[in-house]
Amino acid sequence: MPLAVYVLGLSVFALGTSEFMIAGLLQPIARDMSVTIPQAGLLVSAFAIGMVVGAPVLAGATLRLPRRTTLVSLLAVFGAGQVAGALAPTYEVLFASRVVSALACAGFWAVGAAVAVSLAPAGAKAKAMAVMIGGLSVANVLGVPAGALLGQHAGWRAAFWAVALLAAVAVAGVLALVPPTQPPTGADRPVLRRELRIYRDGQVWLALVITALNAAATFCLFSYLSPLLTDTAGLGEGWVPTVLALYGVGALIGAALGGRVGDAHLFGAMYAGLAATTAVLALLALTAHLPVAAVGLALGLGVTSFFTAPAINARMFEVAGAAPTLAGATTTSAFNIGNTLGPWIGGLVITAGWGYTGVSWVSALLAAAAVGATVAASRWHRRTAASRVVAGSPAEAAAGAPGRVTETAG
């Protein structure tokens, strides 16, 4: 794997740390800004919504720009957003800085994913995506706890300054190691209208649904893992950072394994990961009152949910290969749609009085729905592949020679 792909993973580490570290800084932010905890929590929603909107918009807006230049510009805007957050005199300014940072983060994810896939060796798309997703996993293992610790001892603004510094390091890495590219010209130049045609393909939308369901199933439970550990499993609050770190370790392991398996068995990895996630969530609902089970299954959820992620991302690039930048943007938006809906659904479950085990059951149902959507995607894939009639001699057809396709997939 080219070193440039790992630089992109490092950049994602900075982006992911910023996205999730707010969860550990809510109380000091609320006190300093004189707002309520729910208002401070809206900073998380602002980032997720900015990601949903920003990915396709910025992917389309930067389609004809050199990719390295685009990546550096987006990282610079992201870093400026962190500086603005660190200096924010009011809650409104901090909120706006989160939206700006999210837009830049979304654009980087979309373009960076396309660059990582293009730089990867043949047959290693899922592995390249595993490196990108691994940056997000490391952010959960190291970045988020470090941000919370820094916020406790040096103030929450110090955490924003630290992420701004990481963004500067990422800019230097991209400039040094990501090869410069010029946008294609002539007949090969990217045309937004032509790339938007991928959204006419039902398989693209089905891949989007699978991505969103996987994220919703994971974050529906993960968002309320802390109170589940303390109120249901009976663990002390001191255990929460340790268990969250274990989840991050599991995520890192899962992403690494999923990248290797996904390149050879794409649908197999999706089936295995989603089915295992369903089982883990169901078992957690049944055994959450047992501390050992709750801790072990939290680690297992990190492994299974992130094991699926590289294959899900690679599937989107497979069905939307004619528009790789928009494919990355669509995946980013789908993930953040799930990231937004999952906690909201979990909140509804808690409000209804079903408790934290009820959240686990609903999360398992969301994961099971993702399995069903994967079954539909696999059958559709086989059916459209079998329906391709290639003109030419039997020998040419057996050899895979190009010919006239009388029916296209999707």
Side-chain angles (χ1 to χ4, degrees):
M1 191 64 61
L3 190 58
V5 176
Y6 291 98
V7 169
L8 296 174
L10 170 66
S11 303
V12 170
F13 168 72
L15 304 178
T17 298
S18 176
E19 181 174 5
F20 296 116
M21 73 179 182
I22 292 295
L25 301 172
L26 287 182
Q27 290 174 309
I29 288 176
R31 286 193 299 266
D32 190 37
M33 292 294 179
S34 300
V35 296
T36 64
I37 291 293
Q39 285 177 309
L42 289 177
L43 297 171
V44 179
S45 299
F47 203 100
I49 293 171
M51 291 281 287
V52 171
V53 176
V57 170
L58 284 172
T62 61
L63 200 60
R64 298 185 184 180
L65 297 179
R67 286 183 167 179
R68 188 176 72 171
T69 301
T70 301
L71 292 174
V72 170
S73 300
L74 291 170
L75 282 172
V77 172
F78 171 80
Q82 301 306 297
V83 172
L87 297 173
T90 65
Y91 172 80
E92 290 74 19
V93 174
L94 180 59
F95 190 95
S97 76
R98 294 295 289 170
V99 174
V100 171
S101 296
L103 292 172
C105 179
F108 185 93
W109 258 107
V111 178
V115 171
V117 168
S118 69
L119 294 175
K125 289 184 179 181
K127 192 179 294 183
M129 290 309 305
V131 173
M132 295 279 288
I133 296 166
L136 193 62
S137 303
V138 176
N140 279 287
V141 176
L142 298 177
V144 174
L149 189 64
L150 191 59
Q152 290 175 3
H153 294 280
W156 64 268
R157 296 176 188 272
F160 279 76
W161 284 115
V163 175
L165 179 60
L166 287 174
V169 173
V171 167
V174 170
L175 285 172
L177 296 170
V178 174
T181 58
Q182 295 298 324
T185 57
D188 293 331
R189 68 187 178 93
V191 178
L192 182 59
R193 184 183 303 173
R194 186 167 61 223
E195 296 219 0
L196 287 172
R197 291 174 186 169
I198 65 169
Y199 296 120
R200 298 178 184 176
D201 188 348
Q203 294 192 74
V204 170
W205 288 101
L206 192 52
L208 186 153
V209 168
I210 295 169
T211 304
L213 284 172
N214 181 57
T218 301
F219 288 100
C220 181
L221 186 282
F222 181 77
S223 300
Y224 302 99
L225 182 60
S226 176
L228 181 144
L229 293 169
T230 56
D231 296 358
T232 305
L235 291 169
E237 289 187 4
W239 274 92
V240 173
T242 301
V243 177
L244 292 178
L246 283 175
Y247 172 87
V249 170
L252 189 60
I253 294 170
L257 293 176
R260 294 180 179 277
V261 176
D263 280 318
H265 309 284
L266 191 145
F267 278 108
M270 292 169 66
Y271 278 130
L274 290 169
T277 297
T278 304
V280 166
L281 289 167
L283 283 172
L284 186 58
L286 292 170
T287 63
H289 61 285
L290 301 174
V292 173
V295 172
L297 290 170
L299 171 64
L301 180 62
V303 174
T304 60
S305 59
F306 277 78
F307 176 89
T308 314
I312 288 177
N313 279 267
R315 172 61 180 166
M316 182 65 78
F317 279 94
E318 181 180 76
V319 296
T325 303
L326 285 186
T330 301
T331 303
T332 301
S333 292
F335 173 82
N336 282 279
I337 288 171
N339 192 11
T340 303
L341 291 179
W344 176 69
I345 294 171
L348 292 179
V349 171
I350 295 169
T351 302
W354 295 352
Y356 299 115
T357 55
V359 173
S360 192
W361 280 121
V362 172
S363 298
L365 289 175
L366 290 169
V371 174
T374 302
V375 172
S378 178
R379 290 180 176 177
W380 196 342
H381 174 76
R382 291 197 301 267
R383 184 172 66 251
T384 54
S387 68
R388 291 178 180 271
V389 180
V390 183
S393 67
E396 289 172 332
R404 179 175 58 87
V405 179
T406 60
E407 181 175 308
T408 58

